[in-house]
């Protein structure tokens, strides 16, 4: 069914301003146009809405009943169009993104704070997933885009590098290595270590660097956990030293922990923005994406 918005608009203006000429002036059209719009609406409805005489106009009974509904229809349409327009300007909109948990500790919070200051009405949902689930969430459209580890990506995804994240040694202040500012991987061989395993992709990355026979390394991974946050908690309790990505450490949370640079080699992982090749971000999501993407 075709909705005659122009006719409804003309009818409400005639009722509100008491005449065809005043309605025409308000709508910035000719009186003839207003008359024709009302006639078209009445023909469509099959009823008279306005009684016309040479000097006065009056609403019919049906017209009086229809007037509040007509006003509500125009108001709802105006509100809906305004909402769509504001969404198009990235002023309003709900966003869902997926991210590896470590990005949400140091890297992402400041960006989200700035985004919220710019667009206070926008709601942001962050799915903190393991690396494989981040890609799945983006591919399934559960998330508009993701922050994931760089590496092999699905052919339907586009990856843009955003930040490097070095692996460091973390230990309690009383640990034998606590006073060192930097250590080689060979120097930590005698010590039991905590390591976060395959769920976040760290193990495969380190194995690719440290598995080379020429390095002749034999690290003592005595404790293996699923997430870096667990490794940090165990390290803070003095269980052992932990190998974690630097971005996983929330500054100031554990004042008795020491962070020591690891070198020879320096090993880092790269975080990247991922999006669907054929996808298009909503304006609200695009604004956040552009704030995260390096200039």
């Amino acid at each position: 069914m075709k909705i005659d918005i122009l006719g409804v608009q003309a009818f409400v203006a005639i009722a509100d301003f008491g005449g065809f000429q005043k309605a025409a002036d308000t709508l910035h059209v000719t009186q003839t146009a207003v008359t024709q719009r009302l006639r078209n609406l009445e023909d469509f409805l099959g009823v008279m809405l306005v009684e016309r005489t040479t000097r006065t106009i009056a609403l019919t009974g049906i017209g009086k009943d229809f007037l509040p509904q007509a006003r509500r229809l125009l108001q709802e349409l105006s509100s809906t169009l305004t909402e769509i327009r504001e969404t198009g300007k990235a002023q309003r909109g709900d966003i869902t993104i997926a991210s590896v948990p470590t990005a949400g500790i140091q890297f992402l919070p400041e960006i989200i704070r700035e985004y919220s200051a710019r667009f206070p009405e926008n709601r942001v949902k962050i799915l903190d997933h393991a690396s494989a689930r981040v890609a799945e969430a983006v591919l399934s459209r559960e998330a508009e885009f993701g922050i994931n580890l760089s590496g092999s990506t699905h052919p339907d995804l586009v990856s843009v590098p955003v930040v490097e994240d070095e692996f460091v040694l973390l230990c309690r202040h009383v640990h034998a290595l606590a006073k060192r500012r930097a250590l080689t991987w060979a120097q930590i061989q005698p010590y039991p270590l905590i390591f976060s395993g395959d769920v976040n992709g760290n193990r495969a990355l380190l194995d690719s660097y440290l598995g080379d026979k020429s390095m002749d390394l034999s690290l003592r991974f005595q404790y293996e956990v699923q997430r870096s946050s667990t490794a940090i908690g165990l390290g803070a309790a003095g269980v052992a030293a932990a190998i974690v990505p630097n971005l996983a450490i929330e500054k100031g949370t554990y004042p008795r922990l020491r962070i020591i640079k690891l070198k020879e080699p320096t090993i880092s992982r790269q975080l990247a923005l991922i999006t669907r090749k054929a996808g298009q971000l909503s304006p609200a999501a695009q604004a956040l994406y552009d704030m995260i993407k390096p200039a």
Side-chain angles (χ1 to χ4, degrees), residues 9-20 23 34-35 38 50 57 59:
Q9 189 181 48
F11 166 68
V12 171
I14 292 167
D16 286 346
F17 295 98
F20 285 79
V34 169
T35 301
L38 177 63
V50 178
I57 67 159
L59 300 186

Side-chain angles (χ1 to χ4, degrees), residues 185-186 189 203-219 264-265 267:
W185 291 89
Q189 285 185 103
R203 185 57 183 264
L205 178 60
L206 285 185
D207 284 348
S208 68
Y209 279 91
L210 304 177
D212 190 336
K213 292 182 180 180
S214 64
M215 295 196 65
D216 193 25
L217 285 176
S218 180
L219 299 176
E264 296 180 20
I267 302 177

Side-chain angles (χ1 to χ4, degrees), residues 6-190:
L6 293 178
V8 174
Q9 189 181 48
F11 166 68
V12 171
I14 292 167
D16 286 346
F17 295 98
F20 285 79
Q21 186 57 57
K22 290 183 179 179
D25 293 342
T26 301
L27 298 176
H28 305 291
V29 296
T30 65
Q31 182 176 338
T32 302
V34 169
T35 301
Q36 187 60 50
R37 290 178 184 183
L38 177 63
R39 183 177 295 119
N40 291 342
L41 177 62
E42 290 177 328
D43 289 345
F44 174 74
L45 296 175
V47 296
M48 291 285 290
L49 298 173
V50 178
E51 293 178 349
R52 308 158 178 84
T53 68
T54 55
R55 295 185 177 181
T56 64
I57 67 159
L59 300 186
T60 64
I62 294 176
K64 290 178 181 178
D65 292 339
F66 178 55
L67 182 58
Q69 299 176 53
R71 286 195 180 112
R72 185 166 59 251
L73 174 64
L74 294 179
Q75 180 58 47
E76 289 176 354
L77 177 61
S78 177
S79 298
T80 300
L81 293 177
T82 298
E83 183 175 346
I84 294 173
R85 182 171 178 268
E86 290 179 348
T87 299
K89 293 181 177 180
Q91 293 176 347
R92 297 184 62 182
D94 295 346
I95 310 167
T96 298
I97 68 173
S99 174
V100 289
T102 48
I105 296 174
Q106 287 189 56
F107 174 68
L108 199 52
E110 184 61 24
I111 297 172
I112 295 295
R113 186 197 65 78
E114 183 181 347
Y115 181 83
S116 297
R118 290 189 191 179
F119 310 109
E121 299 299 320
N122 292 5
R123 296 177 58 195
V124 181
K125 182 177 181 181
I126 302 173
L127 307 175
D128 47 347
H129 288 323
S131 181
R133 280 287 293 120
V134 171
E136 290 175 8
V138 176
L139 284 168
S140 66
R141 295 176 173 78
E142 183 182 4
E144 290 203 61
F145 67 86
I147 302 174
N148 205 2
L149 302 185
S150 290
S152 59
T153 58
H154 192 279
D156 292 334
L157 294 176
V158 177
S159 178
V160 178
V162 289
V163 65
E164 291 283 338
D165 186 17
E166 290 186 6
F167 284 91
V168 296
L169 185 76
L170 185 124
C171 63
R172 196 171 169 86
H173 69 295
V174 293
H175 193 278
L177 299 174
K179 294 183 179 180
R180 302 293 297 271
R181 292 189 176 183
L183 290 163
T184 67
W185 291 89
Q187 288 173 319
I188 65 174
Q189 285 185 103

